[in-house]
Amino acid sequence: MERENINCYIDNYIGELRHAVRQPILERDVGDVNVDKAKVFFLLLPLLNGERWTDSTHAASIAVGAVHIAFDAHDTIHHQDATSTLQQLTVLSGDYFSGVHYKILAALPDIYFVRTLSTTIGQINELKTNFYKNSPRDVQELLETVESIEANCISDFLYTYGFSEYVPLASTALSMIAFDSAMDQAAKRKLPDILDWTLHQHDIERVQSSLKRKLEKMIAEADFITPLLQEEIRGMTTPLLGKMI
Amino acid sequence: MEKLQVLSLYADFRKDLNYIEKQLEQSVQSASPIIRQASLHLLRAGGKRIRPIFVILAAEFGRYSLEDVSKVAVSLELIHMASLVHDDVIDDSDMRRGLKTVKAKWDNRIAMYTGDYIFSRALLSIGEIEIPAAHQLLAKTMLEICHGEIIQIDQQREINQTFRDYLRRIKRKTALLLSSSCELGALVSGADAEVVRKLSRFGYYAGMSFQIIDDILDITSTDQELGKPAGSDLLNGHITLPILYIKDDPIFTPYLVRAFEGTLTELEREEMLTFIRHSDAIQKATVVSDLYLQKALDEISSLPNMPAKKALERIAEFIGQRNY
């Protein structure tokens, strides 16, 4: 598969996801849904790598995408004042996207995955709440929490649909990308709420360094993935790997 | 007094309701202390538990299994709870059922996470039921509820609303979940298709009446009875049925405009409520509610005579007469 094709698959997926969650009032007043391309890449990684990808698998991947955009919507709600029409509709957009994920899985039907994903969604909200109110005790807790929040729904999908060998790579890379984003935000003094911890920057850098080593090893050992995709994963994390840590 | 009445309505099914109540508490035993406290805070604030009781009663028309009924009932009540937590964020409400809302006790962000957590627990509970049609119905209902709320925001502070706009909104806001409560109860117990349809329509009509009465009570009750300021719907920019009947009255219109602008004083709020209470708007809205109740009763008139049918009839009558 060529690089252009990879982008094409990702763009098509984003188009399908936006279509699945389309609601005229939300579209008019809230605007286009932002979709995290890195998450889409790892969600579609088995497909990009030539694995068997059925219609059901694809529908379930759209459901996972809907869960993530629901999370993203609710993460933008102001902690004190959500009375503007935009904020009110953003609350409802998250609920709506969440409902779409359930509708897709109910239509398949994949009730097992409904249960699996619901368990994970519950855990992620618990983690977000704990993180929001209390700083993590140590770097290990920080790492585990970010990994769970960023990657667990995607990992559930990969496990459930028979792509478990992709889980460690996806999980590690997504955690790394989240840290990269946090560092950028910290540099701009604009930490997103979910990473609004009070740990010192050097703790985060230690985690990055460890993730970097882990990811490099994983990519080197991932001989089931095409060289182009290995290269893409390196490229996605290059801003980190290229940095002096 | 009224609370005693509703308890007596449920008396025959108290044992099963108690079991469901325990399952509800169990289902929100979160590993996060804040979410656990917030969920239990909401759960213990009470509520009429009309959705669980509809599930129980509808399931009586098939092969009743408390285990299955409980999973459905817990799920529906949790969906209702989750939507209330998020509604309070949207409406910036500090009080519900006489207690501080989750967003007031903690903040909006905690309310968002708590609502999402409760929602996930709802799906986990119904996820134990391996009937695709049940999931498809619930998913469709949930999306319709959201759609209704989105339209409500879109029509917020819009004075030129029609009767049809209002009915469509309350259908999605309340009636569909009550209809689904009956339908899912009947579905999981394997009731006949025609019985399922009748119960579904009963829930729908009863739900329409329930919401109209709720909207009337928002005006006729005291702040203390409501556990929040009377007239909250208007203050939040929502036109309800009594208001539709009075909104063009030249004496009332200035109050409405100021309520929507957010400039209504406390004294003006009292004057406005008194004016509505003394108009014929309440009576006209009650007539519509009664029409829906009659339709609800007609739907189940041909169902077999059994205690569950009697209970549904009594609940329908209670809905029409309730004053809280």
Side-chain angles (χ1 to χ4, degrees), chain B residues 50-281:
Chain B
I50 196 155
R51 292 151 199 87
I53 197 72
F54 272 11
V55 177
I56 290 174
L57 295 175
E60 291 277 352
F61 290 87
R63 291 176 301 281
Y64 190 89
S65 148
L66 178 57
E67 207 181 322
D68 287 348
V69 163
S70 160
K71 285 165 189 161
V72 173
V74 164
S75 177
L76 289 164
E77 193 62 13
L78 290 179
I79 288 169
H80 173 61
M81 274 174 61
S83 73
L84 294 183
V85 179
H86 287 178
D87 283 353
D88 290 334
V89 172
I90 291 169
D91 293 337
D92 199 23
S93 303
D94 289 340
M95 300 295 286
R96 182 177 284 280
R97 295 171 187 155
L99 292 177
K100 275 190 167 180
T101 56
V102 174
K103 69 131 264 185
K105 200 165 158 61
W106 286 274
D107 65 22
N108 283 346
R109 194 54 74 81
I110 295 295
M112 294 314 300
Y113 296 151
T114 302
D116 287 345
Y117 172 82
I118 294 173
F119 175 69
S120 75
R121 305 305 288 183
L123 293 196
L124 200 56
S125 182
I126 196 134
E128 299 291 324
I129 301 286
E130 294 278 352
I131 303 175
H135 291 281
Q136 286 150 13
L137 170 66
L138 185 58
K140 189 177 167 204
T141 303
M142 283 166 49
L143 283 177
E144 282 291 323
I145 293 170
C146 284
H147 193 60
E149 294 212 49
I150 291 166
I151 290 171
Q152 178 164 292
I153 297 296
D154 194 43
Q155 293 177 341
Q156 212 171 15
R157 297 182 183 86
E158 170 61 59
I159 292 177
N160 294 320
Q161 288 184 44
T162 64
F163 198 70
R164 182 180 284 239
D165 291 331
Y166 171 78
L167 293 180
R168 276 192 186 144
R169 213 168 54 230
I170 67 167
K171 166 189 156 185
R172 287 172 167 136
K173 181 178 178 181
T174 304
L176 284 179
L177 196 56
L178 288 182
S179 167
S180 297
S181 302
C182 290
E183 192 169 343
L184 285 168
L187 259 180
V188 293
S189 70
D192 286 350
E194 186 54 24
V195 172
V196 174
R197 269 194 294 277
K198 283 181 186 296
L199 287 165
S200 171
R201 286 197 292 259
F202 167 84
Y204 171 77
Y205 291 132
M208 293 296 279
S209 168
F210 187 89
Q211 187 57 51
I212 292 169
I213 296 292
D214 233 33
D215 294 341
I216 291 172
L217 293 175
D218 185 60
I219 292 161
T220 57
S221 304
T222 62
D223 296 1
Q224 200 182 5
E225 283 166 337
L226 287 168
K228 62 179 181 179
S232 287
D233 288 330
L234 263 181
L235 301 177
N236 287 322
H238 307 315
I239 295 235
T240 58
L241 188 56
I243 306 306
L244 275 174
Y245 285 123
I246 202 173
K247 72 183 175 70
D248 296 324
D249 184 305
I251 298 174
F252 178 74
T253 307
Y255 287 115
L256 180 61
V257 170
R258 282 204 291 284
F260 281 8
E261 284 171 355
T263 56
L264 203 68
T265 65
E266 185 53 26
L267 183 66
E268 285 171 333
R269 179 180 73 106
E270 287 296 336
E271 285 172 4
M272 177 185 75
L273 290 172
T274 305
F275 185 78
I276 309 169
R277 287 168 190 155
H278 289 150
S279 72
D280 60 358

Side-chain angles (χ1 to χ4, degrees), chain A residues 1-66:
Chain A
M1 183 177 286
E2 301 296 319
R3 178 159 288 120
E4 292 73 28
N5 285 345
I6 293 175
N7 289 332
C8 189
Y9 274 105
I10 290 174
D11 289 344
N12 282 347
Y13 173 92
I14 292 173
E16 283 179 66
L17 176 58
R18 284 187 175 144
H19 180 74
V21 300
R22 191 177 173 274
Q23 204 287 341
I25 298 170
L26 295 178
E27 196 172 53
R28 186 193 67 204
D29 292 350
V30 183
D32 255 352
V33 176
N34 281 323
V35 183
D36 183 336
K37 283 197 172 186
K39 286 198 176 79
V40 176
F41 175 85
F42 286 102
L43 201 49
L44 300 184
L45 189 54
L47 166 70
L48 302 173
N49 198 36
E51 302 276 5
R52 185 168 175 267
W53 192 263
T54 65
D55 289 348
S56 299
T57 309
H58 193 66
S61 75
I62 298 279
V64 175

Side-chain angles (χ1 to χ4, degrees), chain B residues 5-11 13 17 48-58 178 182 202-203 206-207 209-210 213 293 296-297 300 307-322:
Chain B
Q5 270 182 24
V6 80
L7 283 178
S8 74
L9 282 177
Y10 297 171
F13 307 93
L17 257 182
K48 296 170 198 70
R49 302 290 188 258
I50 196 155
R51 292 151 199 87
I53 197 72
F54 272 11
V55 177
I56 290 174
L57 295 175
L178 288 182
C182 290
F202 167 84
S209 168
F210 187 89
I213 296 292
L293 274 186
L297 291 169
I300 56 168
K309 180 181 168 182
K310 285 273 164 246
L312 286 173
E313 287 167 349
R314 288 200 332 257
I315 288 172
E317 283 158 17
F318 165 77
I319 287 173
Q321 293 159 9
R322 74 195 173 100

Side-chain angles (χ1 to χ4, degrees), chain A residues 104-112, chain B residues 132 135-136:
Chain A
I104 293 170
L105 296 181
L108 281 175
D110 190 345
I111 312 306
Y112 170 80
Chain B
H135 291 281
Q136 286 150 13

Side-chain angles (χ1 to χ4, degrees), chain A residues 177-193 195-196 201 204-205 239 243:
Chain A
I177 291 165
F179 273 110
D180 182 38
S181 164
M183 290 292 279
D184 281 352
Q185 296 288 329
K188 293 174 196 158
R189 294 182 159 275
K190 238 180 91 182
L191 277 171
D193 284 348
L195 294 173
D196 191 10
Q201 194 163 317
I204 297 173
E205 287 170 352
K243 271 183 188 167

Side-chain angles (χ1 to χ4, degrees), chain A residues 213-232:
Chain A
R213 285 193 300 275
K214 196 172 159 187
L215 187 66
E216 279 177 342
K217 188 166 179 280
M218 279 178 177
I219 293 172
E221 288 171 357
D223 53 5
F224 59 95
I225 292 179
T226 64
L228 175 64
L229 288 170
Q230 290 182 347
E231 205 48 45
E232 279 295 304

